[in-house]
C-alpha cells in the first residue's frame, strides 16, 4: 500500500509513513505535531481507504490518499483504483441488492410506503412548514421502481408542489411484493 500526498503543487507517492512524514517536514508551512504524526500513522495502518485531509490553516489543507499504484503515472492514470481490485476467491456483487430488487421486473400487486416531506399550512400563523408524512398504498405495478413512480405521480397531483420526495433507493421508500394479479 502506497500513500499519495499533495499540498498545493507539491506532491509525492511514498511507500511508507516515514517517507510521508519526511515529505511533510520538507514543507515549512506544515508543522508536524506528535498528534498529527500519530493520526497519519493510524490512518496508514487502518482499513479505511477514503482520502484524508488535514488542516494547515483556515481553508488550506494537505491530503493523503491510500493507493495500490506503484508509480505516480499509474496513480495519475487511475490504474490502481481500489474498487477495481478484487482479491482471489472474493466475489462482490457489483449492483447493491436493493437496487437490483427495485428494478426487478415482476408484475403484480405491491404494498409500498413512502415517507416524504409534505408542505402544509399552519392555520394559526398562515405560514407553511414541512411535515414528515407516511403514505402507504397497495397497487398494481411491474416492479418496485414502477410502484415508486406511480405513488410519486399520484402524490404530486394532490399535495403542494414544494413537497419533497425521497429517492426510491433510500430508506424512506419500502415495498413488498404481494402476488401476481389475475
Amino acid at each position: 500500500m502506497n500513500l499519495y500526498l499533495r499540498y498545493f503543487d507539491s506532491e509525492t507517492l511514498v511507500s511508507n509513513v516515514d517517507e510521508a512524514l519526511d515529505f511533510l517536514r520538507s514543507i515549512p508551512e506544515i508543522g508536524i505535531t506528535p498528534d498529527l504524526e500519530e493520526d497519519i500513522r493510524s490512518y496508514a495502518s487502518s482499513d479505511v481507504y477514503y482520502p484524508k485531509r488535514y488542516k494547515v490553516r483556515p481553508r488550506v489543507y494537505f491530503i493523503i490518499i491510500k493507493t495500490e499504484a506503484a508509480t505516480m503515472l499509474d496513480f495519475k492514470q487511475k490504474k490502481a483504483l481500489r474498487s477495481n481490485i478484487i482479491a482471489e476467491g472474493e466475489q462482490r456483487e457489483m449492483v447493491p441488492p436493493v437496487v437490483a430488487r427495485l428494478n426487478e421486473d415482476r408484475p403484480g400487486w405491491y404494498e409500498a410506503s413512502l415517507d416524504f416531506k409534505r408542505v402544509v399550512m399552519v392555520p394559526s400563523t398562515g405560514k407553511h412548514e414541512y411535515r414528515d408524512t407516511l403514505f402507504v398504498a397497495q397497487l398494481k405495478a411491474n416492479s418496485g421502481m414502477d410502484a415508486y413512480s406511480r405513488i410519486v405521480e399520484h402524490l404530486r397531483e394532490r399535495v403542494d408542489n414544494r413537497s419533497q420526495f425521497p429517492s426510491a433507493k433510500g430508506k424512506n421508500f419500502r415495498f413488498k411484493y404481494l402476488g401476481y394479479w389475475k
Side-chain angles (χ1 to χ4, degrees):
M1 179 64 52
N2 293 326
L3 299 170
Y4 169 79
L5 291 92
R6 186 178 74 218
Y7 179 72
F8 289 108
D9 291 337
S10 303
E11 62 184 359
T12 188
L13 186 69
V14 296
S15 60
N16 61 44
V17 178
D18 293 325
E19 292 174 9
L21 292 170
D22 290 341
F23 169 75
L24 294 172
R25 285 187 184 107
S26 71
I27 302 171
E29 295 91 24
I30 300 175
I32 302 295
T33 64
D35 290 339
L36 178 62
E37 182 176 341
E38 181 182 331
D39 193 55
I40 292 171
R41 287 185 189 282
S42 66
Y43 169 72
S45 64
S46 70
D47 292 339
V48 176
Y49 281 90
Y50 60 84
K52 184 124 180 177
R53 70 180 189 170
Y54 294 92
K55 190 178 219 175
V56 176
R57 58 181 184 271
R59 295 186 302 239
V60 176
Y61 299 87
F62 71 88
I63 63 166
I64 300 177
I65 301 173
K66 287 183 180 180
T67 180
E68 300 286 337
T71 66
M72 185 67 83
L73 182 63
D74 287 348
F75 178 78
K76 295 287 184 168
Q77 292 178 347
K78 299 179 181 165
K79 289 184 179 176
L81 290 176
R82 175 90 178 142
S83 61
N84 293 339
I85 299 169
I86 298 176
E88 287 182 35
E90 181 182 343
Q91 295 295 322
R92 291 188 187 171
E93 191 173 323
M94 293 301 176
V95 178
V98 173
V99 177
R101 247 190 55 205
L102 188 64
N103 292 318
E104 179 183 0
D105 192 26
R106 194 171 180 192
W109 283 97
Y110 285 84
E111 180 174 279
S113 63
L114 182 71
D115 199 9
F116 70 103
K117 301 279 187 192
R118 182 177 186 176
V119 174
V120 293
M121 186 177 79
V122 178
S124 61
T125 63
K127 295 184 178 182
H128 292 82
E129 71 178 13
Y130 286 105
R131 287 217 181 121
D132 287 333
T133 305
L134 179 65
F135 182 81
V136 180
Q138 290 183 349
L139 66 149
K140 287 182 179 179
N142 292 317
S143 66
M145 190 64 184
D146 185 35
Y148 172 81
S149 300
R150 288 174 186 238
I151 287 175
V152 170
E153 182 180 318
H154 174 80
L155 290 172
R156 284 195 196 278
E157 296 172 3
R158 290 164 177 78
V159 297
D160 191 298
N161 63 355
R162 294 172 289 181
S163 297
Q164 298 175 354
F165 299 100
S167 167
K169 299 172 189 169
K171 64 181 180 184
N172 292 326
F173 175 67
R174 292 167 298 286
F175 67 94
K176 180 171 56 171
Y177 181 72
L178 299 175
Y180 188 74
W181 65 56
K182 294 187 182 200

